[in-house]
Amino acid sequence: MSAGRILVIDDDPQIRRAMRTTLTARGYQVCDARTGEEGLEELRSSTYDLVLLDMNMPGMGGTETCRLIRSDSEVAIIILTVSNSERDKVDALDAGADDYITKPFSTPELLARIRATMRRLPQPPGHADLQPLTSHGVEIDLSSRQVTARGCTSHLTAREFDLLSYLLARPNKTIAHRELLQAVWGPDYGDELEYLRVFVNRLRKKIEPDPSKPQFLVTDAWAGYRFHLPQ
């Protein structure tokens, strides 16, 4: 049985060859593309569980490719790059990536990131009993993964859904950064605060009546985040 289907988008043939050899040996089905344009075409014609996407490619760069993939697909995306700057990490996450790994990386690190990104968060306690939340003109329906706010309906990505459902199942309780990261991204995470900042901001744009003045997704300074459930 296949461990999952992975598309590698990278202009370096040696990296594509190494990825194919390494991942195929672990049970993954692997295809590759040399450019962002080729990758987008492949995603239109076939279904994948994960995309490994190089940030720095000639022509259409990784950030633009990521943004176009995310505009009509929920496939998991891990960005691969030589840059370790926080700005580049934030740019990748803002474009819709689920995770980010810096070259050079070891095979165990790559495999761990793939497993963490492809795994889904177990449903939190009481999730099945959560009713759609309607408050201040906002409706959050976890069963359909849809949010309606300001007259617009948005669909939650898999990672947004995991984060929001974890918070919503624990209303009015401050959840520490590390707990959130390990619950949503996996046990190997804990210090990647930029992940939370980006994904909370993405959720606020979808659920808050005024994202600049959040009523639901509240930041508790230096402590964590809390889903404020109006009484």
Side-chain angles (χ1 to χ4, degrees):
M1 180 182 295
S2 170
R5 287 174 52 81
I6 296 178
L7 177 63
V8 179
I9 306 177
D10 197 303
D11 63 303
D12 188 326
Q14 292 184 344
I15 291 179
R16 295 200 307 274
R17 190 179 307 115
M19 290 282 195
R20 181 185 289 272
T21 300
T22 298
L23 297 175
T24 300
R26 269 72 176 184
Y28 296 101
Q29 294 182 27
V30 183
C31 291
D32 58 65
R34 297 172 297 175
T35 66
E37 291 87 349
E38 284 188 10
L40 289 168
E41 187 60 33
E42 180 63 28
L43 286 166
R44 293 187 188 103
S45 61
S46 300
T47 300
Y48 291 90
D49 300 296
L50 175 74
V51 175
L52 294 174
L53 175 61
D54 183 38
M55 176 74 85
N56 302 305
M57 296 184 292
M60 183 185 294
T63 301
E64 182 180 359
T65 302
C66 183
R67 189 171 289 111
L68 290 172
I69 293 172
R70 185 58 73 226
S71 67
D72 63 1
S73 173
E74 294 182 25
V75 65
I77 302 171
I78 298 178
I79 292 285
L80 310 175
T81 180
V82 296
S83 172
N84 195 32
S85 75
E86 182 170 335
R87 180 67 262 169
D88 285 342
K89 289 182 181 181
V90 170
D91 286 345
L93 296 170
D94 271 337
D98 295 284
D99 203 352
Y100 182 105
I101 185 169
T102 305
K103 300 177 182 178
F105 46 80
S106 67
T107 296
E109 180 184 7
L110 174 65
L111 294 173
R113 294 292 179 120
I114 289 173
R115 289 193 299 269
T117 301
M118 290 179 67
R119 106 194 207 293
R120 290 308 310 275
L121 177 69
Q123 291 189 346
H127 176 276
D129 300 325
L130 290 174
Q131 299 299 312
L133 169 66
T134 301
S135 179
H136 294 78
V138 175
E139 181 173 345
I140 301 173
D141 187 350
L142 289 181
S143 64
S144 65
R145 287 171 52 182
Q146 288 189 335
V147 174
T148 301
R150 302 182 301 279
C152 298
T153 299
S154 302
H155 193 73
L156 299 174
T157 68
R159 193 69 75 184
E160 291 168 350
F161 172 81
D162 287 347
L163 179 57
L164 180 59
S165 61
Y166 194 87
L167 288 164
L168 190 54
R170 300 155 179 82
N172 301 317
K173 177 184 177 182
T174 300
I175 310 298
H177 300 126
R178 180 172 292 272
E179 179 182 343
L180 273 174
L181 284 162
Q182 293 183 342
V184 177
W185 275 267
D188 295 328
Y189 295 76
D191 299 320
E192 297 83 355
L193 297 186
E194 66 273 10
Y195 285 49
L196 291 177
R197 288 197 296 270
V198 170
F199 276 83
V200 167
N201 283 337
R202 278 163 51 174
L203 282 171
R204 282 172 174 163
K205 290 176 182 178
K206 292 184 176 182
I207 73 173
E208 295 287 356
D210 182 354
S212 66
K213 299 176 181 178
Q215 299 180 26
F216 298 106
L217 282 175
V218 178
T219 301
D220 288 331
W222 311 110
Y225 292 97
R226 168 170 47 92
F227 190 92
H228 173 65
L229 190 60
Q231 300 299 319

